[in-house]
Structure formats: C-alpha cells, structure tokens
Amino acid sequence: MDVTLQRGGDWYFPPRPPKDWERVSVAEVGWDGSAVEELVHYCEAHQSEQLLILHGGRILLEHYWQGANAETTADVASVQKSVIGLLLDMLSGAGVLDIDDSVGQWLGQGWSRTTPKQEEALRLRHLMTMTSGLYDDFNFEGAAGTLWYYNNNAYHQLRKVIEVATGQTTQEVFDRLLAAPLGIVGARWIERVSMVDPKGWTLSGFHASARHLARLGMLVLSRGNWKDESLVDGGVLIRSLVPSQELNPSYGQLWWLPSEPTAILPGGIVVDERKSFGGRSLDHPIIPSAPPDLVAAFGAGVKRLYVSTTLGLVVVRLGRSPDSGVLSNDFDEGLWQRVLAAAGLSQHHWPSR
C-alpha cells in the first residue's frame, strides 16, 4: 500500500447518486488477496450485514449479507453521536453557538434535575465529552467536568440545542449542512418521546446505510473538506478528534479514540481519575492494533464507522452484534488485525503521525 500517496491527501470524493462511485481493485492498491478474503469471511461469520471500505475515497471492498444491499438503511445507534458532533462543529465554526455556552442558554432553566447553580455550570462541551456529572435520570452525581459517564439521555439534549439554535428540525439541519453537500440521499432522523427527559423532549434514532456513513467518514478523512469546499473548520474538527479530558483519554467530543493507551467503556461513573462505579476500565487501547490516528463512531450492535487519515481508509461495518458487549472490542481487534494484514502492515510499522 502506498502510504505516502495516501498521506498526501489526494482524496477522491464520490458524486451524488445515481452517478457511479469509483472503485479501486485490491491489486491496484497492493493489498493481499487471500488476506482480503479472510477479512471478508471474518465479517460475514460475525453477523455483519454491510461492510464497506474506502481507499482514498474509492470503494475497495463492498459486501452485503442477510438481504441487505447498497440502499439498505438501519438504525445506527450511537454512531449518530458523531454525526451530531459534526453538526455542532459546523455550527460552532459558523458562530451560531459555542461549545462553552451554558446548556440552559439554549434550553432554558429546569432542563435537568439539579439546583440552578449546578445547572448553570453545565456547558455544551460537558455533554459532548460525557462529563456532565448527571445520571440517566438527570439527577446530580458530581460537579461538571469531574465525572465521566456515558449518558445517552444527557447527550440527546444536544440535538435539542441544535434545533433551538437554528430554528430547524434535526433532519432539516442535517439535510442542509451535510446531506446536500455530501450527496447523502435517504438518511433519516426518527423521533420518539422520552419518558426520562424532565421537559418531555424527544430522543432520536438515525437511520443510514454504509454508503451514507462512508460519505461522512470521507469528510472526517479530509479534515472537514469536501472537494474544494471547506464544510467544517479543520481546527474545530480536530478538537473533537483528540482526548477531551483526562478521565477517559479514549473519548474526544462525541468520537471514540481507540488507540489511546487507556479507556473507560460505557456503563459506569468514574471519579478521582480511575475509580469506577459499574464501568469497565481498560489498561490498554480499546483496539490494540488500531492505527495511531484512528477515530471511530461506535454504536450498539457493533455499528461502526472508522477513519484513519494516515492510511487513507474509511471502514464501515453494520449488522447485528457478534456478542452482548456494548463495545465489542474483541471484534474490533479481530477486524483491524485483518485489515492490516490485508494492507501488508502491522501495528509496529506505522508512518509517523
């Protein structure tokens, strides 16, 4: 694989459907054919329904199982968090909002079940980094910025902030800022009423295909550029793709960083550095074989969007969970071992970041 070429950023951007998405063969990029077959077999054997790998933007591998095809959409679970992260980065870069804004500035007082003083301290960045100090029921567990807890209900307030700040629905904002310029057709936000939210606001599901997610991955791969247009300020985007706090270095701003040396997985509150209440602490990377610059959107059921700018790769896996793990890092590790074997690389031979 010509890593130097890929690092040069000579990306290909797919046209809007129904125009064809260019492809590149395994032989053209120098990947090992038998190792590619093993990679595809591994994904098929582990309940995958969609597998898509882009090399420099062109389709290198595309496989479907269980009746799925290129138009099949599915609820991608918490992969949506990273999509909302992109929208927040775009709105922040445009000056519509600031991640240091108080959440109450946009949602009004009483959006949580805390005292007015505690609520005033909560900023958008605390929701983006999972450091709100709130539990699932929005009750106070600790001061903002002192706890890391993967709080889905608190996260969903960010979508409401976007709607208040823009005066549009999440679907309308997504269509305007991402779907239209990237050529995404058919991705949909589905709403449902929350029984937990203090104000009764809705939660959301994001239904997308592997090709939809791959286009979003290309935007991250190119650091916010699409063809000759800058859609996301590169500096703002990078802020989301690096460790956002010290409690869990494997979490940025609504993006996972699977190569960081330690991690906290969803499921518990972390206090005083690594004291965990119900969560699982790792003293190793989530994906030990991950490229050093790998960023990922993780969703339940092992919905995955991975991006490595160093390797010029976007990898999407959709389907059912191979096991019951929230973050099935055993599957992820097996996948990346096989990707690297196919590319003729190993974790010991990375280009410099």
Side-chain angles (χ1 to χ4, degrees), residues 112-127:
S112 67
R113 293 188 172 98
T114 63
T115 67
K117 183 177 180 179
Q118 291 166 344
E119 190 174 273
E120 172 59 28
L122 286 162
R123 309 293 165 174
L124 300 185
R125 62 182 168 84
H126 293 129
L127 304 188

Side-chain angles (χ1 to χ4, degrees), residues 21-295:
W21 195 319
E22 288 187 14
R23 297 176 180 269
V24 63
S25 72
V26 169
E28 286 177 302
V29 301
W31 282 32
D32 181 271
S34 60
V36 168
E37 290 181 6
E38 167 58 24
L39 166 62
V40 174
H41 174 72
Y42 176 79
C43 290
E44 180 181 14
H46 286 81
Q47 307 292 338
S48 300
E49 296 174 5
Q50 303 185 44
L51 173 67
L52 181 61
I53 298 182
L54 305 184
H55 184 285
R58 293 175 174 84
I59 294 176
L60 175 63
L61 295 176
E62 186 174 30
H63 291 272
Y64 299 97
W65 301 277
Q66 307 295 328
N69 57 48
E71 284 72 47
T72 300
T73 62
D75 189 335
V76 297
S78 285
V79 169
Q80 69 160 274
K81 289 183 173 70
S82 301
V83 182
I84 290 294
L86 286 174
L87 292 177
L88 288 166
D89 286 344
M90 298 174 84
L91 295 173
S92 173
V96 175
L97 52 74
D98 190 289
I99 67 167
D100 282 319
D101 289 343
S102 167
V103 181
Q105 174 181 332
W106 298 104
L107 301 188
Q109 188 174 346
W111 67 269
S112 67
R113 293 188 172 98
T114 63
T115 67
K117 183 177 180 179
Q118 291 166 344
E119 190 174 273
E120 172 59 28
L122 286 162
R123 309 293 165 174
L124 300 185
R125 62 182 168 84
H126 293 129
L127 304 188
M128 297 173 71
T129 61
M130 301 295 171
T131 59
S132 67
L134 302 178
Y135 196 57
D136 297 332
D137 58 5
F138 295 89
N139 278 314
F140 179 85
E141 291 289 339
T146 66
L147 307 178
W148 193 90
Y149 176 61
Y150 193 79
N151 191 327
N152 280 304
N153 294 326
Y155 148 75
H156 278 284
Q157 307 310 300
L158 292 168
R159 187 179 61 85
K160 184 62 180 178
V161 168
I162 289 174
E163 295 188 344
V164 173
T166 62
Q168 295 181 306
T169 66
T170 305
Q171 184 73 55
E172 290 170 336
V173 178
F174 173 80
D175 287 345
R176 173 170 59 88
L177 296 184
L178 287 173
L182 272 57
I184 294 174
V185 179
R188 291 289 177 264
W189 292 86
I190 310 297
E191 295 189 350
R192 61 184 185 276
V193 176
S194 170
M195 302 302 291
V196 177
D197 191 297
K199 290 193 173 183
W201 286 324
T202 57
L203 307 181
S204 62
F206 181 55
H207 290 240
S209 69
R211 286 193 171 202
H212 294 151
L213 296 182
R215 287 174 183 267
L216 294 166
M218 277 303 302
L219 183 64
V220 176
L221 184 77
S222 64
R223 292 300 185 256
N225 299 307
W226 190 264
K227 300 179 181 178
D228 296 326
E229 185 179 2
S230 176
L231 298 182
V232 191
D233 180 89
V236 173
L237 179 58
I238 288 294
R239 181 183 65 191
S240 293
L241 306 179
V242 297
S244 58
Q245 29 65 48
E246 296 182 356
L247 289 166
N248 188 0
S250 289
Y251 204 74
Q253 292 181 169
L254 300 176
W255 287 90
W256 287 93
L257 314 174
S259 68
E260 291 298 320
T262 62
I264 303 295
L265 302 187
I269 296 175
V270 180
V271 188
D272 298 330
E273 297 185 13
R274 303 196 58 76
K275 183 179 179 182
S276 177
F277 294 86
R280 183 156 65 100
S281 299
L282 302 180
D283 59 2
H284 57 77
I286 294 174
I287 308 177
S289 292
D293 70 338
L294 191 69
V295 298

